[in-house]
Amino acid sequence: MQRAGLKRKELIMPYSVTIKGKFDAAHHLRNYPGKYANPHGHSFYVELEVSGDSLDDLGMLIDFNDLKEWLDNILDIFDHLDLNELPMFRTKNPTAENLARWIFNEIERRIPDQYKLHPVKVWEGPDSYASYWGEE
């Protein structure tokens, strides 16, 4: 069944898998007019979701372990470091938005074509996150 106004390829895929990861890091926001210009830390949580059309012979869309490995390899780059000192954030503030974009782009390079990557969410605390869903 096709929804009005949507082409077949734009339909929502019927299966999705979501994982979460965590890293702890320090950062500061350059030129921020307040206390967050000072070094401070967070326990960052990252949410990653992929969807697809069909399941494999085992009844899985994608193995949770594969997704977790991809995400953990990326989050290990940040864990227990000062994000401002990393090459990707030397001139750009390591905001939740910029982290979400960087993580999305790294996952997108790894994920097979049959899956759709959904917005990556980066949580700085229990009540606030930023997400990034890629360029059109």
Side-chain angles (χ1 to χ4, degrees):
M1 180 175 175
Q2 189 168 344
R3 293 185 183 160
L6 291 178
K7 296 178 184 155
R8 176 75 180 135
K9 290 185 179 184
E10 295 173 336
L11 290 177
I12 296 172
M13 295 181 170
Y15 300 100
S16 71
V17 170
T18 303
I19 61 165
K20 292 182 181 177
K22 176 185 180 277
F23 68 96
D24 297 300
H27 72 152
H28 65 276
L29 302 179
R30 296 173 198 92
N31 303 314
Y32 184 82
K35 66 182 180 179
Y36 300 115
N38 298 318
H40 61 283
H42 295 282
S43 289
F44 291 92
Y45 291 87
V46 178
E47 189 174 311
L48 171 64
E49 179 183 1
V50 298
S51 63
D53 286 325
S54 60
L55 304 180
D56 65 16
D57 292 341
L58 297 174
M60 296 188 295
L61 173 65
I62 190 169
D63 192 323
F64 283 114
N65 291 321
D66 291 340
L67 278 180
K68 188 76 173 135
E69 183 179 338
W70 296 335
L71 184 59
D72 286 347
N73 287 338
I74 291 168
L75 300 186
D76 283 348
I77 295 168
F78 304 131
D79 197 36
H80 286 88
L81 295 175
D82 180 344
L83 299 178
N84 294 78
E85 294 181 7
L86 297 174
M88 68 286 282
F89 297 119
R90 286 210 177 109
T91 60
K92 199 175 286 193
N93 271 329
T95 60
E97 295 87 346
N98 284 328
L99 282 162
R101 181 181 62 228
W102 196 88
I103 294 166
F104 180 97
N105 289 334
E106 288 298 306
I107 292 292
E108 191 173 48
R109 290 184 324 117
R110 292 167 168 80
I111 198 164
D113 289 339
Q114 73 260 33
Y115 304 110
K116 177 183 188 292
L117 180 58
H118 290 260
V120 168
K121 296 178 182 177
V122 174
W123 297 77
E124 280 196 356
D127 301 322
S128 55
Y129 71 85
S131 59
Y132 180 79
W133 52 88
E135 304 288 330
E136 287 297 322

